[in-house]
Amino acid sequence: MADILSQAKTRQCKIAIDTLIYDPVHRQLSKAGKEIELEPRSQELLEVLLQQTGTPIAADELIAKVWQSNFISKNVLTNRISTLRAIFKEHSPESDATKLLVTYPKKGYYLNAARVSLVEAVEQPLASPPTPSSKKWSVHLVYIAILLVTVGLFIRLTPQQESKITTAPASSSVTVPVVELLLHKVNVTDNSLKPYIKAIKTALLAQQIAYPYINVINQDAPSYFLSQIDDSPYWPGSRNTLFSDYKLNLRLSKGRSDFELIAQLELVFHSSEKRIFSGEYSLDIKALDSGIARMTADLAKFFALPAIPQPQQNDTLAFVSKTMAAQLDSQQLSSSEVNYLARQLLQTPALEPQKMTHWLERMERDFPNPEEEMEIWLGLLNFKMGQHENARERLFKARFNNQIDNAFIYLVLSDLALKESKPDLFRLYYLKSQVSLSLVLPSKQIFTQLDPDNIQQRCLGAWESLIKNERLSNDLGTWIDIFQDYCDRAQTYFPAPQAK
């Protein structure tokens, strides 16, 4: 992280941002000596980005520093980022503004350090006087750029595909940087193929989560962190998610040899079930991960996203076929294997404390800076074992980027806040948990639950509705005992019932 702003103030010099110059003393942005007008919020945002040049800053952190509030919509930040990019594009048309002010999916925003540097404070040459209409057109250009970005949030590019892939007709529209995708269902044409479902679901889920330009909506479902990956047709979280852009299904059939599977991939709009992408893939049973990587690469190509880096060389089928004891004893685990194993451990009724403590300590050594999902899995394991301080630290760190909006995680965080007698944090996470449940329950039901009388009588009322839901009862059943006294401890922090 380079604090270019502080360095410039200390050395009493200016900052070059591509072909623009920022004077931190007078807080002025200019091009060839001509001042560029910045609104106060845009100026503050630019200075925060200059304080951490080259390092992604999470949206929540930017909002807290610029607006001094945790209740500002992220759309406000997105619009301000678009405004800054429009200014960069207008005054440095030869440069790509998106490569100067970079969006790092699931991480935040940053200024490209290669295009920001310190310069000595020298007099800039005088610019030619602007024509009377130039300022007016500058304002128009800014608003046009913002409008284009906003329109891009609702339009998807459907590029031409290779001959083996059939798609809906292409349209000339704007590409969205991050795609919301639900991994939904795997069907088999023959029961003899069932042993491969678990490995295929595990590998495809791991590859999609690792790819920053695809947001796997399954992670936001309450049951995602409560479900095992098994040979049932559905991915964790897929049956109780109401919203996503796209839904992915697979159909497995036998190949021409005993070592070949045929996987037919189908991508549909979640709202209409209209198919927009399909492809057929030959999967070598001995190298399932490589075949699934081709699917992942084709999805990225279809959405016109950046090329996907080569995934880790895993043998997912061999790993998931081992006993849990053998998996725990594996000496070199990949991040996807840790996530899979932690998920299975969470659904194990009784964990051997000494062995689990040893394994968690090993994970801490082997993965000192885990990705967001692994941090959550390890945090939940600590929580289940009663190691609340470690659980709180891991879950809080994982929540820092606020990319996974999961009601169950918020419920755990609210319980940890109760245990630490922190009423404000408890209320915050309790409310976040209720709001996140609107992904799977009618919003009217959530509003009803927030009535003071209902909260006092049934503080987990919305969760009780989920438990009665056949699709979630098995997932939540092993955890509900942990929250038996939750409402008793929460009573003092809820508003009193209103007098009739």
Side-chain angles (χ1 to χ4, degrees):
M1 176 180 72
D3 187 348
I4 295 292
L5 186 68
S6 295
Q7 293 178 35
K9 289 179 178 179
T10 301
R11 295 172 55 177
Q12 297 185 345
C13 62
K14 298 182 182 180
I15 302 169
I17 306 172
D18 259 356
T19 60
L20 309 182
I21 299 295
Y22 185 69
D23 182 343
V25 176
H26 298 97
R27 305 188 74 185
Q28 290 180 349
L29 185 68
S30 62
K31 172 71 176 288
K34 175 187 172 183
E35 184 179 346
I36 300 169
E37 290 188 14
L38 283 179
E39 293 176 331
R41 294 294 189 195
S42 297
Q43 186 177 69
E44 291 168 15
L45 176 59
L46 177 61
E47 291 198 343
V48 171
L49 292 167
L50 286 169
Q51 289 171 343
Q52 295 183 218
T53 306
T55 302
I57 309 175
D60 283 354
E61 184 180 354
L62 285 171
I63 289 171
K65 288 184 176 180
V66 176
W67 282 271
Q68 307 294 313
S69 171
N70 293 323
F71 302 100
I72 298 295
S73 167
K74 289 185 180 179
N75 290 336
V76 176
L77 172 62
T78 302
N79 289 338
R80 192 61 60 183
I81 291 287
S82 299
T83 301
L84 265 183
R85 283 186 178 141
I87 290 171
F88 292 152
K89 184 176 182 180
E90 178 189 354
H91 296 281
S92 292
E94 67 280 5
S95 302
D96 185 344
T98 60
K99 293 181 180 178
L100 171 58
L101 205 176
V102 182
T103 299
Y104 195 128
K106 302 188 180 183
K107 296 293 184 182
Y109 304 92
Y110 66 94
L111 286 173
N112 187 341
R115 297 165 70 171
V116 179
S117 60
L118 297 174
V119 294
E120 296 302 323
V122 297
E123 291 296 324
Q124 299 293 332
L126 293 177
S128 301
T131 60
S133 61
S134 63
K135 184 174 181 180
K136 177 180 178 181
W137 275 107
S138 299
V139 174
H140 286 323
L141 285 171
V142 170
Y143 284 115
I144 289 171
I146 294 173
L147 178 61
L148 287 174
V149 172
T150 305
V151 171
L153 292 174
F154 301 99
I155 303 175
R156 299 293 187 270
L157 181 64
T158 53
Q160 293 287 343
Q161 303 298 312
E162 295 180 3
S163 58
K164 288 188 178 181
I165 299 172
T166 61
T167 70
S171 61
S172 56
S173 52
V174 181
T175 304
V176 176
V178 177
V179 172
E180 293 189 342
L181 177 65
L182 179 72
L183 300 179
H184 186 230
K185 194 173 183 181
V186 180
N187 290 312
V188 294
T189 59
D190 191 300
N191 284 335
S192 65
L193 303 177
K194 269 197 164 186
Y196 305 109
I197 293 179
K198 186 189 298 186
I200 289 172
K201 285 161 62 175
T202 301
L204 187 55
L205 177 63
Q207 289 185 21
Q208 295 300 311
I209 287 174
Y211 183 49
Y213 293 94
I214 286 182
N215 186 12
V216 180
I217 294 299
N218 303 61
Q219 294 175 301
D220 293 339
S223 62
Y224 178 78
F225 290 100
L226 297 166
S227 306
Q228 290 190 355
I229 295 181
D230 53 23
D231 61 4
S232 67
Y234 296 95
W235 266 280
S238 68
R239 289 183 295 168
N240 56 293
T241 299
L242 299 180
F243 308 104
S244 72
D245 294 335
Y246 306 97
K247 189 161 64 175
L248 184 147
N249 296 309
L250 285 179
R251 182 180 177 86
L252 301 179
S253 56
K254 289 184 176 180
R256 289 161 292 186
S257 72
D258 292 339
F259 300 102
E260 183 188 35
L261 298 176
I262 302 299
Q264 293 175 310
L265 184 150
E266 179 184 68
L267 191 69
V268 300
F269 284 122
H270 194 165
S271 57
S272 66
E273 296 290 334
K274 180 182 178 181
R275 188 175 70 178
I276 57 170
F277 174 100
S278 65
E280 185 173 291
Y281 300 84
S282 172
L283 303 181
D284 184 347
I285 291 174
K286 297 179 181 179
L288 281 180
D289 294 81
S290 297
I292 292 167
R294 294 197 302 273
M295 297 183 194
T296 302
D298 280 350
L299 285 172
K301 188 185 300 182
F302 170 75
F303 289 120
L305 298 173
I308 292 179
Q310 288 296 318
Q312 293 175 295
Q313 295 299 313
N314 294 332
D315 188 346
T316 301
L317 179 60
F319 183 79
V320 302
S321 300
K322 295 179 181 177
T323 64
M324 184 177 289
Q327 292 169 350
L328 281 169
D329 290 337
S330 299
Q331 292 304 306
Q332 292 184 330
L333 291 170
S334 67
S335 58
S336 61
E337 289 169 344
V338 173
N339 291 348
Y340 171 84
L341 181 52
R343 180 192 290 274
Q344 307 304 95
L345 287 167
L346 280 170
Q347 299 305 311
T348 303
L351 300 177
E352 186 180 334
Q354 186 174 0
K355 190 166 188 177
M356 282 309 309
T357 299
H358 174 74
W359 188 78
L360 287 170
E361 289 173 350
R362 181 186 146 201
M363 293 304 99
E364 192 167 346
R365 291 193 305 270
D366 292 352
F367 299 92
N369 298 298
E371 294 295 326
E372 182 179 17
E373 178 159 322
M374 187 194 297
E375 196 84 80
I376 290 176
W377 287 121
L378 298 179
L380 289 176
L381 276 174
N382 277 282
F383 178 76
K384 187 171 183 179
M385 294 182 63
Q387 299 174 1
H388 297 141
E389 186 176 347
N390 289 342
R392 182 195 57 78
E393 182 179 352
R394 283 195 178 277
L395 293 176
F396 183 80
K397 283 167 60 180
R399 186 195 162 277
F400 184 74
N401 290 318
N402 205 27
Q403 296 297 324
I404 298 178
D405 187 20
N406 188 286
F408 178 69
I409 302 303
Y410 291 135
L411 182 65
V412 172
L413 285 167
S414 71
D415 186 69
L416 289 169
L418 278 178
K419 289 179 168 64
E420 297 175 354
S421 299
K422 296 180 178 178
D424 288 339
L425 274 180
F426 158 71
R427 294 188 189 99
L428 171 66
Y429 291 128
Y430 178 83
L431 289 174
K432 280 181 172 288
S433 174
Q434 295 296 315
V435 171
S436 296
L437 285 177
S438 63
L439 291 172
V440 294
L441 292 174
S443 57
K444 182 179 180 180
Q445 184 174 345
I446 304 299
F447 272 100
T448 303
Q449 170 61 28
L450 295 178
D451 177 87
D453 288 328
N454 288 337
I455 290 180
Q456 284 286 348
Q457 295 168 16
R458 298 162 51 245
C459 77
L460 291 177
W463 287 96
E464 291 165 10
S465 299
L466 287 180
I467 293 169
K468 292 175 184 176
N469 184 329
E470 184 180 348
R471 296 182 304 178
L472 294 176
S473 58
N474 292 334
D475 299 330
L476 291 167
T478 57
W479 278 85
I480 201 62
D481 290 343
I482 295 176
F483 297 97
Q484 283 296 327
D485 64 341
Y486 175 92
C487 289
D488 293 335
R489 290 181 285 119
Q491 286 296 322
T492 56
Y493 301 134
F494 287 131
Q498 298 175 353
K500 300 296 182 183

